[in-house]
Structures are given as C-alpha cells and as structure tokens.
Amino acid sequence: MKILVIGGVAGGASAAARAARLDSNAEIIVFERGKYISFANCGLPYHIGGVIPQRESLLVMTSEKFVGRTGAEVRIQSEVTAINPKAREVEVKNLKTGEAYKESYDKLIMSTGSSPVVPPIPGADDPDVITLWNIPDMDRIKGRVDAGIKSAVVVGGGFIGMEVAENLIERGVETHLVELQPQVLPPIDKEMASMLSDTMAKHGVKLHLNTKATEIVRNPEGLTVKLEDGESVSAGLVVMAVGVRPNSELAKAAGLETGERGGVKVNDRLQTSDPDIYAVGDVIEVNDFVLNHPAMIPLAGPANRQARIAVNNIFGADETYKGSLGTSIVKVFELAAASVGASEKRLKQMGRDYLKTYILPASHASYYPGADPLYIKLLFEKSGKILGAQIVGRDGVDKRIDVLATAMRNNLTVMDLEELELAYAPPFGSAKDPVNFAGFVAHNIIKGDTIVVDPDKIPSDAFLLDVRQPEEVICGAIPDAVNIPLGKLRDNLDRLPKDREIIPFCKLGLRGYVAERLLRDKGFKVRNMSGGYLVWKLFHPTGGEVSPSCPNPAPASGGSIGETDAAVELNACGLQCPGPIVQVKNKIDELQDGQLLKVTASDAGFANDLPAWCNATGNQLMKIVEADGKIEAVVRKGQGGAEPVPAGTAEAKPKRATLVLFSNDLDKAMAAFIIATGFAALGHKVTIFCTFWGLNVLRKDHPPAVKKDLLSRMFGWMMPRGAKKLALSKMNMMGMGTAMMKHVMNKQNVDSLPDLINQARSLGVELVACEMAMNVMGIKQEELLDGVSTAGVGNFAGMAAESGTTLFI
Ligand code: FAD
C-alpha cells in the first residue's frame, strides 16, 4: 500500500504515524511545504510571551526523528501543487530546488489545514503586519518584541488574538486589541465574554470593540492603525488574527466536492467525493454534532482524531466520525473560558427552541482555600437534551467542560448530569459537583420547580427583591431593588406586594431560589433571577449602585502602614460570601478609629467586595493582594487621615441616615417610618430621633404608673398616648377622617403605624427619644416603648454629622 499525506502538522503527522504503526510495510510519504513538521502551533503565542522559554520545545518532532520512529518518509519544503484523482497521482514542487515531479498513490490523505485571513485593507502587506500561524511567523513576531517594540495592535479578538494580546502584555508591550464584534471571543455569548474583556482591560490590554482596522499607514516611528470609529493607534507591530479559511484550493482544482464555506466535503468515514482520497482537520466541513448542520471547526483535537479514523478505515476498519462539538478552552490571564456545543446566539440564528440557566457554583468546596465561582451557562431542551455550555472561571473550568462534552457526546441529558459520580475531595470539587449542580438546576427548570427570568429580561413593573445581607448590598445593588435578607424574609412578607411579580435575587442564585420557593408557597407571583446579582452584572457591566468592580488597589495613595502599626487579625478563610464581609464589618465595629484590621479570606469575590465596602463605609483599604488562592487585605478603621480608596467611578453611598420626628401627626409619623425602613433595607444605619410632639409616637398604650408632678400629668392627658392614638394632620374631622384613613389602609393592605414601627425596628432602625423634650413635656423613660434609648442634642448632632441624609419631619 502506498499512502501519500499532504500536510505534516496536526492531522497529517498523526495520520502518517498511525499508518506506519498499522502496517510497517506500507510506503508512506508526507509532503509538507513548510520547513517543520509536527510542531506545536497551539504553543506559539506562549513562546512569544516567554512562558515556553525554549523554542525547541515547540518542535515536537523533527523530520529526522519522525522518519526514525515511524519509517515514513518526510519531504519538507515540498508543496503538492495538483492532485489527479483519475491517475491516482499528485504533482509536487520541491521548494528548495524548484524541481517538479509526480508521485502516485493508492490512498491519499489531505490534511492541508487552513490559512489565516488577511483583510484587504491598505497597508496590510507591510512587513510589520504579521499573522501567527507557524514557526517562522512566531520568530518574526518574537524578533520584533525582543528588539524592544513599545506597542502593538492585535486585530481580531478570537482565540489566537486573545492569546497573542496576553503574551504581548506579559512582555511589557502596550497592546491594543481591535475586534469587529461588540465582544471578545465571538464564539461564546456576549455576557459570558464580558468577564474576559474586564480581565483583559484590568491587565492593561486596550480594547477597541465594535470597530475594525480600515488602514495601516507606515510612518518614520512605525505604523499607525486607523480604526473605523475614527481612532488611530500607533504600533511597532500589527498581528492579524481575524480568522481562517480552509486550504481547499487543491481539492477544488481536483474536482473534489466542497461546501458553502469552502470546506472539503467528506462522508462519515472521512472519504472525500473520491473514495481513495481522505481528508481531515481544518480543511474539511464537519457535521455539527448538536445542530446536525455543516460546520467548519478548526481545532487540533478533531484533526487528530479524524486522522486516526481515516487511517483505520484505509486499513479495513469501518469507523465513523460522528461530528464535532467544538469543545474549546482559552486562557485569558487568570481566567479560563471554555465552551462546548451551540452558543445561545447560534441557537437563535438556527431558530431552535431552548431553555437556559446560569449557575455559579464554587469551583471546589467553599471552605477550602481558593474556591471561586464558576460561571456556567447551560443551554438545553425541555426534553433534557444538552445543547451547549459555556464556563468562565479561574479554577476547574477544563474539568467541567470536559465532563459536559463527554455527556453531550454520549447523548446524556441534564437529568443524567444529576447522577454523574465525579471525583471529590475538598481541594478539587464539592460533594455536589458543579456539573451535578447544573443538572439539578436545569431539571428544576424543566419540572417547573423553579421559574427563572434572565437578568436582561426583567419586566419594568416587577418588584425586585434583594435577599442578600446588607453588607453585600453595600458592595453593589440593582437600582430600585428592596433589600430583605433571606433570614428575615418570613417575618417581612407583609412588605411584599401581592399584585406585582416579585423577582428575588441574591449574589449567586441559590438564596434567590430559596426565596422563590418560599414566596410561591405563600401565594406570591414570583420568578427567580437566573444567576443572581453577579449574572445581572454581566448584562449591566456599568450598572449597580456601587460598582463592585473597583480596581484592586495598591496601598492607597496618602495612606501607609507604619512599621509599628499592630493589626488585629481576622482569618475569614473558608467562609463564602457574604461571610467574609460580614466578619469584617463585625470586627471593624469593635475597633477604635485608626486601628488596623488584617484580614485573610479565600472567597475570591471578596477581592471585589472589600474595596467597594470600604469605600461605602468610610474605612480605608490600605492593601489588598491575592496569592495562592488567598486574599490578604489590611483595612484601617475610619479614614486614618488619608484619602479613601477610589471605588470605580461610582460615588460612595452614605451609610447612615437620621430622621428627626417632631410631629405626632399620624400621616407624618407614617411617612417617617416608611422612609426609615427604605433606608434600612438598603443597608443604612438609621436613627429616628423623636423630639417634642414626636415623643408621643414612642409612648406605650398602657404605661406603668409613674410618679409625676401635676403639670406633667396634665400634659400627658392632653397628648395622644402612643402610635394607635395619633390623628391625621389634615381632614381629621373629629376623628372621622383618621378612622376612614385607617379603614382604607387596612383594606389596601397598608401596615398600621404600630406595624410600621415594628417592621422598622426589625430592620435595625434605632429609636431615640430626645432627653430635653422629655424633660420639658414631663415624659418618663418607663412610658416609652421598650428598647427606646434616650439621648441629648449633642448625640443627635454627632449622628447627623455622620449621615448622608438627615430629614426633619
Ligand atoms: P495544520 O496543523 O495547520 O497543518 C496543515 C499543514 O499543511 C501546514 O503545515 C501546511 O504548511 C501544510 N500544507 C498545506 N497545503 C499544502 C500543500 N499543498 N502541500 C504541502 N503542504 C501543505 N487548536 C486547538 O484545538 N487548541 C488550541 O489551543 C489551538 N491553538 C492554536 C494556536 C495557534 C497560534 C494556531 C495557529 C492554531 C491553534 N489551534 C488550536 C488550531 C490547530 O492548530 C489546528 O486546528 C490544527 O493544527 C489543524 O490541523 P490540520 O492538520 O488540519 O492543519
């Protein structure tokens, strides 16, 4: 048997090696037009960045070694220029000598790959405009970086463009990334890609999304890349990474069938329209395993597996290639982004029905250091069939996407995901692995146990219920959402509207789901926000009342930690959100102004939450560093004489609100308590300072007998005793108006004033009676509601000075 292989890298080298193993007597010749065979093209960006220091490491196999090991003949710098299927021969040009010759075959394997597309824009032919496809390309790019170029433009934000940008940044090159789509990594959905853009920007990549390079101009300093949006960027180097096209010209010229996008058509045995010619790798059109539709999926894994199947079939097997899922993963600085199957946008394009969920389980047991949320998006059908998945996270992304890919390849359903028995120990996973968890949630959706709404589809008239802890809300809140922590929800059901849809949410989705179940059982119309606040942020990157995406600050400008500054230590490792931030709050409450708190936490979200929390609470973040899965931070209580750490562009919110209640009119007192409750629900510390007539609101209905002088007793008789006895400020009409008002309030489910007082107090609203007014009016402490404290005007002035809001009612 004489087998010719065109192309000597992923698919070609695999095919030749397999053929040689199956039949050592076969005559096998590999033609490769380049100088290298079997090199690691996937590793090229990392040699530019210095992560793979040795160039030789990329030359997985030299021609000599390959020949020695396999017995196959390798002809490098030999280009196949034509295929003649009838004569069963190819024409070859020796690129070193220029000699042309013919070579006959029994079977031919084409693995000619694909080539990078260079957009036809003026200046794209400049020698400093380079694509990254092979070893010489890599050498040229690395040569420019080694020579000290200061800046570079990468055109194209796909897998290769992103890897190149990251590696240029690692080399200290100012890097701009230009992408036509409004997102990086177009194969995945936009909201999932938003995390990648944030991370790239955080590491210094200057992103130009939704625009394209229109011209490259050479000037004495280097190149200027002109963009469609009018911007111009100077660069010493331009790397073009806008996509690939299959190297199928040979096949077309030989009369082999090709598809709409130029890929060579093959049957499931990987034979082209000529049964003696097989084709594998980037050059072929494959069947999309999920959509059952022709697709071009240029990835190394499929190329290698197809090569093995094609060769097995040449030697008599009857194996079939069942299609590609497009399982892929890319490193983006500290993140990994992976996907398998169809994206949501692709499903929409294809007009397919689908369900979806976002889940954010921890990458491993949350109490073991380094656990971090995995953002998992799962697309599935009502039947349970899995259509696609995307995962972004820092840890454990590869393992989960591979399990999902395996499940999809074997037609497992989301119900099957629930049952998978996966390896577990705290450093690696959870007893309920994220993949199991994805199955639980998806199955719950199918069964109707949970009804979800996507964060970008929330109806404008819905009642948004934030069930996170107030400390979390400080770090970022959805505008107009009302905060009732999950633990207090049962006692506050009367604050929720019966006539509006309620959409509860928490940070990651789980507490929101618990709230959803509770509220539905209590008769409310409710849907859970899929993925919670963190997924809402993906859809609203600049939203949130206080941005949690504060930069991780270096020691804050103006503040420094003195050698002798002893810090109180707090170990919050193993606690998951909101644990660490709640612990910080409690500890800070115990400290004196200016004292330092050194906190260590393992919950990665803490790195975002703490700067926002410090900014919102007026404490100073002195230091925050992440290493080995732990976050170490130092917070100085109060300002310590220095500027606070800037919290993104959002303004810090005041933490305290003070109300002076002067009136004992029913309507005004009600307004005071409703406003106070609103502030408290947003996490503010609220004090109502009752003075003069306002003291009556705090009086008990049936006070114990207290000793008073006659004047005080007379005062007491003349004034309303307690919240139930107050009258309207207007239209009281001898009490008729007040009675009517109470009747209407009762009918419309509006709380009475005593209920409003209780509700406010349950949210931590502090009631303070003015000592001076008590003396004047002869009111004694025993006559006031239990738990009401008394204070002087100085105390009130102190509270008001700390408050962002002070109201006089
Ligand atoms: P190739 O491996 O490209 O081999 C084709 C060979 O055929 C070429 O060497 C070419 O010179 C030769 N050839 C073409 N025409 C002729 C001819 N007429 N005569 C002689 N020789 C010819 N994939 C992943 O799955 N994961 C990754 O992380 C990843 N990273 C990548 C990073 C980079 C920078 C690049 C360039 C690619 C990456 N890929 C990755 C894609 C992956 O490398 C390809 O999908 C895979 O190599 C395709 O294999 P192939 O055999 O079809 O083509």
Side-chain angles (χ1 to χ4, degrees):
M1 168 99 73
K2 184 173 177 185
I3 302 173
L4 302 187
V5 181
I6 315 177
V9 188
S14 266
R18 176 77 183 156
R21 280 197 300 274
L22 289 186
D23 183 356
S24 55
N25 294 320
E27 185 185 355
I28 302 159
I29 306 173
V30 179
F31 298 98
E32 168 54 55
R33 65 182 171 195
K35 279 188 187 166
Y36 305 92
I37 62 149
S38 200
F39 61 88
N41 30 16
C42 308
L44 302 179
Y46 298 99
H47 182 55
I48 295 169
V51 183
I52 301 172
Q54 300 300 326
R55 183 176 180 275
E56 295 70 47
S57 320
L58 299 173
L59 304 172
V60 182
M61 189 61 77
T62 60
S63 308
E64 297 74 35
K65 263 203 254 169
F66 192 83
V67 172
R69 281 205 194 164
T70 63
E73 189 183 336
V74 176
R75 298 186 192 166
I76 55 168
Q77 293 183 279
S78 300
E79 181 168 8
V80 174
T81 51
I83 304 170
N84 185 346
K86 279 210 179 101
R88 288 218 228 156
E89 59 183 24
V90 298
E91 289 173 28
V92 186
K93 183 172 178 192
N94 183 326
L95 299 177
K96 271 186 290 184
T97 61
E99 175 207 355
Y101 59 94
K102 291 182 180 168
E103 195 71 61
S104 65
Y105 63 81
D106 296 317
K107 301 287 176 194
L108 177 67
I109 302 174
M110 289 189 67
S111 187
T112 47
S114 50
S115 291
V117 172
V118 177
I121 56 171
D125 54 352
D126 189 284
D128 285 334
V129 178
I130 307 174
T131 55
L132 178 59
W133 206 247
N134 50 33
I135 299 270
D137 292 342
M138 176 192 75
D139 291 340
R140 288 163 69 205
I141 296 173
K142 186 163 180 294
R144 265 98 169 153
V145 176
D146 291 347
I149 52 152
K150 296 275 175 291
S151 60
V153 172
V154 178
V155 183
F159 291 99
I160 295 176
M162 292 190 36
E163 287 178 350
V164 170
E166 174 175 341
N167 281 286
L168 290 173
I169 288 282
E170 297 295 350
R171 294 291 307 274
V173 177
E174 181 187 301
T175 304
H176 296 255
L177 186 99
V178 181
E179 167 56 51
L180 185 62
Q181 302 290 324
Q183 64 169 94
V184 293
L185 205 61
I188 70 170
D189 292 316
K190 189 171 171 222
E191 77 281 9
M192 298 298 283
S194 72
M195 278 175 276
L196 310 179
S197 321
D198 286 353
T199 296
M200 295 190 87
K202 192 177 92 184
H203 284 273
V205 180
K206 298 190 166 48
L207 293 171
H208 305 263
L209 302 179
N210 223 356
T211 187
K212 62 180 180 190
T214 50
E215 190 180 355
I216 301 167
V217 182
R218 166 136 315 262
N219 53 48
E221 289 79 41
L223 300 170
T224 300
V225 182
K226 294 189 176 174
L227 306 183
E228 195 182 39
D229 61 11
E231 260 200 85
S232 288
V233 186
S234 304
L237 165 74
V238 175
V239 179
M240 281 287 177
V242 300
V244 297
R245 52 165 185 74
N247 292 330
S248 55
E249 297 80 4
L250 262 184
K252 282 183 199 157
L256 302 179
E257 260 182 57
T258 51
E260 249 176 53
R261 291 172 61 194
V264 175
K265 279 191 175 287
V266 289
N267 62 18
D268 58 2
R269 299 182 79 247
L270 297 166
Q271 284 164 305
T272 64
S273 47
D274 180 313
D276 291 326
I277 305 177
Y278 290 72
V280 301
D282 288 5
V283 76
I284 65 168
E285 185 181 89
V286 290
N287 186 39
D288 183 313
F289 188 84
V290 173
L291 300 172
N292 195 21
H293 195 266
M296 300 299 296
I297 300 186
L299 289 169
N304 278 280
R305 286 191 308 282
Q306 290 156 7
R308 190 179 167 91
I309 292 174
V311 172
N312 290 351
N313 287 339
I314 287 175
F315 285 98
D318 187 17
E319 293 180 7
T320 54
Y321 184 72
K322 306 199 174 53
S324 294
L325 282 165
T327 315
S328 59
I329 187 162
V330 62
K331 174 181 174 300
V332 185
F333 295 95
E334 67 274 17
L335 292 182
S339 70
V340 59
S343 63
E344 186 177 3
K345 58 185 151 197
R346 185 83 182 111
L347 290 171
K348 279 186 182 156
Q349 263 172 15
M350 299 287 291
R352 288 282 292 262
D353 286 338
Y354 62 90
L355 296 170
K356 71 167 167 172
T357 182
Y358 298 92
I359 58 157
L360 285 79
S363 53
H364 58 248
S366 55
Y367 54 81
Y368 188 88
D372 199 38
L374 286 167
Y375 286 67
I376 303 182
K377 177 174 182 177
L378 190 68
L379 297 148
F380 53 99
E381 281 179 351
K382 212 167 169 24
S383 65
K385 179 183 163 80
I386 308 166
L387 299 172
Q390 294 163 36
I391 310 182
V392 178
R394 296 182 193 217
D395 172 43
V397 173
D398 50 349
K399 163 170 150 173
R400 276 48 184 241
I401 206 74
D402 283 346
V403 173
L404 288 168
T406 309
M408 289 173 73
R409 181 66 183 66
N410 289 287
N411 293 313
L412 300 190
T413 62
V414 297
M415 286 71 95
D416 295 314
L417 296 183
E418 297 183 82
E419 290 177 22
L420 294 183
E421 185 182 324
L422 302 168
Y424 160 61
F428 305 104
S430 300
K432 288 177 196 156
D433 190 85
V435 173
N436 298 134
F437 208 73
F440 299 148
V441 177
H443 195 189
N444 279 345
I445 291 173
I446 291 172
K447 286 184 291 185
D449 286 353
T450 181
I451 305 172
V452 287
V453 56
D454 291 331
D456 60 332
K457 305 261 161 47
I458 294 167
S460 56
D461 58 347
F463 181 91
L464 280 169
L465 175 62
D466 186 340
V467 297
R468 297 175 298 163
Q469 292 297 109
E471 292 80 3
E472 295 174 85
V473 178
I474 279 176
C475 300
I478 301 180
D480 299 330
V482 172
N483 176 226
I484 305 176
L486 182 62
K488 293 187 174 166
L489 191 55
R490 280 175 196 278
D491 297 334
N492 284 283
L493 295 177
D494 47 1
R495 291 178 55 204
L496 302 177
K498 286 270 184 194
D499 55 347
R500 284 165 71 188
E501 182 179 42
I502 298 174
I503 299 188
F505 67 92
C506 58
K507 184 172 179 183
L508 307 168
L510 182 60
R511 283 172 288 169
Y513 168 59
V514 176
E516 179 204 356
R517 297 286 308 174
L518 169 71
L519 295 180
R520 187 162 301 120
D521 286 347
K522 299 289 177 197
F524 290 93
K525 192 176 156 209
V526 55
R527 281 190 292 169
N528 182 23
M529 191 191 297
S530 190
Y533 179 72
L534 289 184
V535 173
W536 182 88
K537 279 292 292 175
L538 298 183
F539 285 99
H540 306 86
T542 54
E545 290 200 318
V546 177
S547 169
S549 55
C550 306
N552 287 348
S557 56
S560 62
I561 309 170
E563 290 287 314
T564 53
D565 283 343
V568 174
E569 301 219 353
L570 170 65
N571 185 349
C573 287
L575 293 179
Q576 228 194 344
C577 179
I581 210 84
V582 171
Q583 295 258 333
V584 167
K585 180 197 176 290
N586 292 342
K587 209 72 190 168
I588 283 281
D589 285 350
E590 292 169 13
L591 302 187
Q592 302 293 320
D593 218 31
Q595 257 189 297
L596 294 178
L597 175 69
K598 182 176 169 195
V599 52
T600 318
S602 51
D603 173 26
F606 185 64
N608 281 333
D609 288 349
L610 187 64
W613 183 84
C614 287
N615 204 51
T617 53
N619 294 293
Q620 190 187 11
L621 182 58
M622 308 297 294
K623 170 186 148 185
I624 183 159
V625 285
E626 286 182 69
D628 302 329
K630 282 191 187 161
I631 296 145
E632 206 181 278
V634 178
V635 178
R636 189 188 291 280
K637 178 163 178 170
Q639 294 304 308
E643 291 296 308
V645 174
T649 52
E651 279 181 23
K653 294 283 178 220
K655 189 193 163 197
R656 194 179 250 288
T658 306
L659 284 77
V660 179
L661 181 54
F662 176 82
S663 165
N664 62 5
D665 292 330
L666 175 64
D667 40 0
K668 292 177 187 166
M670 281 182 49
F673 279 92
I674 289 169
I675 293 168
T677 305
F679 273 105
L682 281 175
H684 291 235
K685 177 124 191 56
V686 186
T687 305
I688 303 183
F689 188 78
C690 297
T691 188
F692 282 92
W693 313 117
L695 284 173
N696 292 318
V697 180
L698 302 182
R699 291 174 73 192
K700 286 179 179 156
D701 306 347
H702 302 290
V706 276
K707 245 183 151 187
K708 287 188 181 186
D709 59 30
L710 180 67
L711 213 61
S712 299
R713 264 186 280 154
M714 281 173 65
F715 249 114
W717 293 329
M718 288 188 288
M719 295 186 300
R721 191 187 284 157
K724 286 188 188 158
K725 300 278 166 40
L726 305 192
L728 287 178
S729 61
K730 290 190 166 51
M731 295 181 1
N732 185 37
M733 299 179 297
M734 314 277 290
M736 243 171 68
T738 302
M740 275 163 63
M741 173 64 88
K742 286 184 178 174
H743 174 74
V744 172
M745 278 165 48
N746 190 28
K747 238 179 120 187
Q748 298 198 354
N749 241 348
V750 178
D751 286 333
S752 66
L753 180 57
D755 287 342
L756 283 174
I757 295 174
N758 287 339
Q759 206 174 84
R761 296 182 87 181
S762 73
L763 284 176
V765 173
E766 191 189 9
L767 302 181
V768 177
C770 170
E771 275 168 1
M772 184 275 294
M774 283 170 71
N775 291 339
V776 170
M777 302 177 79
I779 294 179
K780 304 283 176 210
Q781 169 91 55
E782 298 90 309
E783 292 178 85
L784 301 181
L785 298 173
D786 294 333
V788 171
S789 54
T790 61
V793 177
N795 206 311
F796 160 70
M799 287 186 287
E802 273 180 50
S803 298
T805 307
T806 304
L807 300 175
F808 187 93
I809 298 175

